[in-house]
Amino acid sequence: MLSTELRRIIGGGCLVVLACGLTIGRAHPAAADPGGCFVDRGLTDAVALCHEGYGSAVLEVECLGISVPPTPDAPIFGPYSGTDSAPTAVGEPMRASCWTSTALGITTRAFVSSR
């Protein structure tokens, strides 16, 4: 049998753990950051839509293809950053592309970042 003092210590410890769990469980993420974002990556572009939060977000794409640098060098094949979408409010669609005036490639990665 456990002594009364040991039962009280164990009971107090359980209450502390329960209180910490409830406090952490009720914590909400920052409301300013967009969340619940759906990203659909296509062959040469991507679209996204965020459903939660406030503020604005930007859709960014990483690409693989041919890019022409502003110097007189030959075209370069390899990874490059595509055009980002304009900062967009939650609930509005975003689009970013790997086609620019100096590059042509396929989308290898698409992600949303808050701005």
Side-chain angles (χ1 to χ4, degrees):
M1 282 298 237
L2 294 173
S3 69
T4 305
E5 186 175 326
L6 185 57
R7 285 184 190 174
R8 287 183 181 166
I9 292 172
I10 291 173
C14 288
L15 285 175
V16 168
V17 169
L18 180 63
C20 289
L22 289 174
T23 301
I24 292 170
R26 289 183 177 216
H28 297 289
D33 293 336
C37 299
F38 172 76
V39 177
D40 185 18
R41 185 178 55 131
L43 184 62
T44 60
D45 63 355
V47 293
L49 181 65
C50 295
H51 299 283
E52 301 170 357
Y54 300 97
S56 63
V58 173
L59 175 61
E60 299 180 47
V61 290
E62 293 178 0
C63 312
L64 177 65
I66 298 173
S67 60
V68 179
T71 61
D73 296 337
I76 298 171
F77 180 79
Y80 64 93
S81 295
T83 59
D84 298 344
S85 70
T88 307
V90 172
E92 297 293 322
M94 297 173 270
R95 183 176 182 275
S97 178
C98 287
W99 285 41
T100 68
S101 61
T102 60
L104 172 64
I106 59 171
T107 308
T108 57
R109 184 172 176 230
F111 57 95
V112 174
S113 61
S114 59
R115 296 278 168 115

